[in-house]
Amino acid sequence: MKTLYHQLINEVTSSILVLVVLTLAGCGIEEKVIPAMAEELRLGPKILSASIPGMPDENIEIDHKKNQITVTVPAGLINLTKKIEFTIQDKAEWASSQPDVINFCSGTLSHSWGGVSTTDLKYDNHTAVIRKGNIERTYRVVIKQNEDMYFAPKDKIIEIEANFGGSFLSNIPIYNFSDGDNRTADIVFTNTQSGNQFVESGPSCWYNFATVDLCRIPENAPLGEYSVQLQKKNGRKTTNQLRVLLKAGAPYVAYLNEIILTPRPKDIKLVGANLYPQAKIEVEIWHHRTKESHRIKPVLNDPSGREGSLPLPVNLKAGQYYYKVYSEGKLQEKEKRLIVRETEKQPVIFWSSYGVPIILKRNMPVNYITCYPVLPNSSPSLKLTSITDGTKTYLLNILTRDSIYELGPNYFNMPSDIPSGRYLITMQYKDADGVSQESEPLETDVIVE
């Protein structure tokens, strides 16, 4: 539709042009004026000049034949954006909002006020479009980079400790990065001993080289020394390289995978950071109620130190467990919960605290105990079993918050007819086959008052 519109405009313009030229010629207007006016009617109005504060005028070239504005980026530039001022032909106007900011990285124009109007969306932000009457003229912005791209020199090797969740290479200025290619650059890590390479996503057009992370250290990179080079999608590379030494930090186990005993696995997967043999790691697992404990040395052979495996104790049973991590005999972390289930269908019940009995008031709603799965039409309930008399049990319906609620906290109402005392609490539901499934008891006693 837009092409047809422009075709009609051009045909009308050509007709007008012929009439104007004939009229001017008949009136005796000088011949040199006629071609100039004809060119404006054919090509549209001009952008007469552009300037960027602090940048030499010769760095900006306007080619009216190509309808192109070429900006040569000054040597050593770190800033990605600058203010830009345009002068346009008399009686011409901007087709969209007047741009006043240029991004050297992406080669785009924008407005310092940050907004985008509906009209702006009709135009490519790599262009400057002006018009006079119904005639538009589009100039494309081209960013030109003649200088080598390089990291700010570093006198010594950069030492970084590996951490769970990622370590980062930060605060590294890059000179002459901007060249109009706004695609995300690659950061290539080359191990100086093995020659193996690891690639991470690097900066893009909105990167502030002085204050934020250049990139994440590749997760699968083993400890050691690396040379680091930046490479853009257009083939440009930094002419120098950084030297980075990736060291082990404190060992950390983020979590142990939940354990399903049927079918019985051989080991438990550990996930964390700095899980290396030299850390001499031991993991202590204990059942909260029975106090049965196991102290196990994990198998650690992942070169990146992010995973390991823990041999499963032969007599480990389903229940609520906790674990601690030691390195060279010293405690590294506070205890964390470990869920052990007999089968995938066995439900789980827990709450955020442990060690302190839960007090339930009669005739009161309870909404801080978490259960899963709690599925529609599965008849979920809580079962209270008297600790002093195991024959006394009470079932309380779990009230789910909506029809797809699988993970709590769920809520239920405490009735008035349950006797005071200490209870074990479990969760029950019926699986897809209609078979009743029951959880292991909550690790904390429940006191009904």
Side-chain angles (χ1 to χ4, degrees):
M1 179 64 75
K2 189 172 183 180
T3 302
L4 179 59
Y5 171 77
H6 285 146
Q7 184 178 346
L8 292 173
I9 290 295
N10 289 335
E11 291 176 358
V12 172
T13 301
S14 298
S15 300
I16 295 173
L17 174 59
V18 171
L19 291 173
V20 170
V21 172
L22 292 174
T23 302
L24 291 174
C27 295
I29 302 297
E30 294 183 14
E31 291 184 3
K32 65 180 181 180
V33 177
I34 296 175
M37 297 187 68
E39 181 186 19
E40 181 179 331
L41 287 169
R42 181 173 61 85
L43 299 178
K46 292 181 180 180
I47 293 180
L48 301 178
S49 66
S51 62
I52 298 173
M55 184 179 293
D57 292 340
E58 56 266 26
N59 284 46
I60 306 174
E61 178 186 351
I62 301 178
D63 189 327
H64 299 293
K65 292 183 178 179
K66 294 182 179 179
N67 288 337
Q68 182 172 293
I69 302 172
T70 302
V71 181
T72 301
V73 183
L77 180 76
I78 292 183
N79 297 64
L80 300 182
T81 61
K82 285 275 192 180
K83 296 283 288 184
I84 186 169
E85 298 176 357
F86 292 99
T87 301
I88 61 178
Q89 197 169 336
D90 186 36
K91 296 184 180 179
E93 61 182 357
W94 290 95
S96 60
S97 301
Q98 180 176 345
D100 61 358
V101 175
I102 184 169
N103 186 307
F104 300 120
C105 178
S106 61
T108 55
L109 298 172
S110 59
H111 325 291
S112 56
W113 53 273
V116 178
S117 69
T118 305
T119 305
D120 295 338
L121 297 175
K122 299 178 182 178
Y123 298 92
D124 184 353
N125 61 358
H126 293 82
T127 62
V129 185
I130 58 173
R131 68 182 173 206
K132 191 173 183 181
N134 292 325
I135 304 174
E136 286 188 355
R137 189 167 187 173
T138 300
Y139 289 81
R140 178 160 289 276
V141 177
V142 175
I143 303 298
K144 186 177 180 181
Q145 178 60 262
N146 295 330
E147 305 295 330
D148 289 335
M149 179 173 60
Y150 62 94
F151 292 117
K154 295 288 182 180
D155 296 332
K156 57 184 179 179
I157 194 167
I158 302 170
E159 297 186 0
I160 298 177
E161 284 192 353
N163 294 305
F164 181 75
S167 303
F168 295 88
L169 186 58
S170 305
N171 304 339
I172 309 294
I174 305 172
Y175 294 92
N176 307 319
F177 176 84
S178 301
D179 56 12
D181 182 1
N182 64 345
R183 292 170 292 180
T184 300
D186 291 329
I187 307 293
V188 182
F189 289 75
T190 304
N191 189 287
T192 56
Q193 184 174 2
S194 67
N196 293 334
Q197 291 189 331
F198 306 87
V199 181
E200 274 292 330
S201 294
S204 62
C205 283
W206 310 115
Y207 175 68
N208 183 339
F209 299 110
T211 59
V212 297
D213 302 319
L214 175 66
C215 72
R216 182 188 295 270
I217 303 298
E219 288 189 358
N220 56 342
L223 302 181
E225 185 175 334
Y226 293 84
S227 61
V228 179
Q229 188 175 39
L230 182 146
Q231 180 172 325
K232 302 194 75 174
K233 296 295 191 296
N234 59 12
R236 293 181 70 224
K237 300 179 181 180
T238 50
T239 55
N240 63 342
Q241 299 182 5
L242 300 173
R243 293 172 58 219
V244 173
L245 178 62
L246 182 60
K247 306 189 303 181
Y252 174 74
V253 176
Y255 61 88
L256 300 181
N257 277 4
E258 182 182 83
I259 303 171
I260 306 294
L261 295 178
T262 305
R264 195 171 184 87
K266 293 182 179 179
D267 50 34
I268 311 167
K269 184 178 180 180
L270 287 79
V271 177
N274 302 307
L275 305 179
Y276 298 105
Q278 58 267 34
K280 299 179 181 179
I281 296 173
E282 289 184 303
V283 179
E284 181 183 9
I285 299 175
W286 73 95
H287 191 285
H288 185 73
R289 282 192 170 276
T290 67
K291 307 304 179 185
E292 175 190 347
S293 65
H294 308 271
R295 191 148 176 163
I296 314 164
K297 293 182 179 180
V299 177
L300 305 173
N301 50 23
D302 176 16
S304 70
R306 297 181 183 275
E307 292 184 0
S309 59
L310 202 64
L312 191 71
V314 176
N315 57 346
L316 191 71
K317 300 176 181 178
Q320 302 270 350
Y321 288 81
Y322 287 85
Y323 69 91
K324 294 179 182 179
V325 178
Y326 296 84
S327 175
E328 297 184 337
K330 297 180 180 179
L331 180 65
Q332 295 297 305
E333 308 160 30
K334 294 181 179 180
E335 57 264 33
K336 297 178 182 178
R337 177 181 279 112
L338 173 63
I339 301 296
V340 181
R341 292 193 285 165
E342 190 63 44
T343 68
E344 288 188 352
K345 293 183 176 181
Q346 185 179 26
V348 173
I349 178 172
F350 62 88
W351 77 311
S352 58
S353 300
Y354 59 92
V356 179
I358 301 174
I359 298 177
L360 301 180
K361 301 285 188 180
R362 286 190 286 266
N363 293 320
M364 294 290 290
V366 179
N367 62 0
Y368 46 79
I369 294 178
T370 298
C371 312
Y372 72 87
V374 177
L375 301 170
N377 305 319
S378 64
S379 304
S381 62
L382 292 175
K383 178 182 174 182
L384 294 179
T385 302
S386 173
I387 291 178
T388 56
D389 185 353
T391 63
K392 293 183 179 180
T393 61
Y394 304 89
L395 292 180
L396 311 175
N397 292 329
I398 295 176
L399 307 174
T400 56
R401 284 175 165 76
D402 56 54
S403 61
I404 59 172
Y405 215 91
E406 294 190 27
L407 182 62
N410 309 102
Y411 72 102
F412 60 95
N413 292 317
M414 276 296 296
S416 59
D417 58 350
I418 297 181
S420 300
R422 276 182 180 261
Y423 293 84
L424 297 178
I425 185 169
T426 57
M427 180 255 180
Q428 294 180 329
Y429 81 105
K430 288 185 179 180
D431 63 24
D433 299 322
V435 178
S436 180
Q437 303 285 348
E438 185 172 359
S439 73
E440 298 299 319
L442 185 71
E443 71 264 39
T444 303
D445 289 349
V446 169
I447 299 177
V448 176
E449 293 182 346

